[in-house]
Amino acid sequence: MRPVIGLIPLYDEDKESYWMLPGYMKVLETCGALPIMLPLTSDEAELAQSLELCDGLILTGGHDVDPLLYHEQPKATCGVLCKERDCMESWLLGKALEKKLPVFGICRGIQFMNAYLGGTLYQDLPTEYDSAVEHHMTPPYDRAAHKVTILADTVLADILGEGELPVNSYHHQAVKEVAPGVTTMAISEDGLVEAISVNGQKFAVGVQWHPEFSYENNGQSLKLVQAFVDACR
């Protein structure tokens, strides 16, 4: 049986629609998993039943994380928020960590994991973090925008090896203060945290880049998602 991976849905306010980028599903299928998009809801009974179906969770990209989660007021430069999604992910992430269910956070996913666990975020890199590194690239997104350094003695080093890794990059928020109980696993050329893991978990990893965009021509992206799927088996 293929492990079932629950995906947090993306939400389009203008079209009032739930949707999903195909790369998330295709890379999971390539790695031998069965992806399902969960309903956007804060109903705990629905969330509990949804989680029972899943062998692992992917916290996808999308809306900005509400700064109230890390005890700040939203700035004018903060993007569109989705409070129901924040509520949904808080419940699911808490239960998944309690059950030691594998969790993989991508882009917003790493940001949400860090904020939920007690860390903080840059609400807007262009105005809060002086850097010449390209963190908000233009298409195509399957190419490298900058490099990160994978730190030794980390989960990510076990999967991909330590040292430099070229990554794509499409974000305007990022991890600022790392949460307690979280290990920094990769740093960008300008010093930003690019990957984290939650201590004491089987697999609870967040990355700031997008392996779902690059897995077809980047073996390291595929290897990373495969490690997550294998942890879900």
Side-chain angles (χ1 to χ4, degrees), residues 35-202:
I36 59 172
M37 188 178 81
L38 302 179
L40 182 63
T41 179
S42 55
D43 184 285
E44 292 188 3
E46 289 185 21
L47 291 172
Q49 187 173 353
S50 296
L51 192 62
E52 283 298 318
L53 301 173
C54 299
D55 300 302
L57 288 176
I58 284 191
L59 307 185
T60 55
H63 292 81
D64 283 0
V65 176
D66 191 339
L68 293 177
L69 190 63
Y70 47 97
H71 310 295
E72 291 184 12
Q73 291 297 318
K75 300 177 181 178
T77 50
C78 188
V80 177
L81 309 176
C82 183
K83 291 183 181 295
E84 187 164 33
R85 179 171 177 179
D86 290 337
C87 181
M88 173 182 180
E89 286 187 326
S90 292
W91 194 94
L92 287 173
L93 180 56
K95 292 297 183 183
L97 294 177
E98 183 182 306
K99 296 172 178 284
K100 297 193 183 300
L101 198 70
V103 177
F104 189 22
I106 296 174
C107 195
R108 171 195 153 93
I110 181 178
Q111 297 162 14
F112 187 86
M113 290 170 71
N114 188 64
Y116 173 82
L117 291 167
T120 63
L121 304 178
Y122 292 104
Q123 291 191 37
D124 181 61
L125 285 177
T127 58
E128 296 179 31
Y129 195 83
D130 187 21
S131 174
V133 173
E134 179 57 80
H135 289 288
H136 198 270
M137 68 190 296
T138 56
Y141 300 118
D142 60 351
R143 59 190 173 87
H146 63 79
K147 295 178 181 177
V148 303
T149 298
I150 300 174
L151 305 180
D153 301 318
T154 61
V155 173
L156 196 59
D158 291 341
I159 298 169
L160 301 180
E162 61 184 277
E164 288 190 343
L165 175 71
V167 299
N168 53 16
S169 190
Y170 188 75
H171 62 106
H172 87 107
Q173 296 197 317
V175 171
K176 187 176 182 180
E177 297 171 331
V178 177
V182 167
T183 296
T184 299
M185 300 196 296
I187 303 290
S188 66
E189 298 168 48
D190 56 359
L192 278 179
V193 174
E194 290 270 344
I196 62 171
S197 62
V198 183
N199 301 342
Q201 294 290 317
K202 179 179 180 181

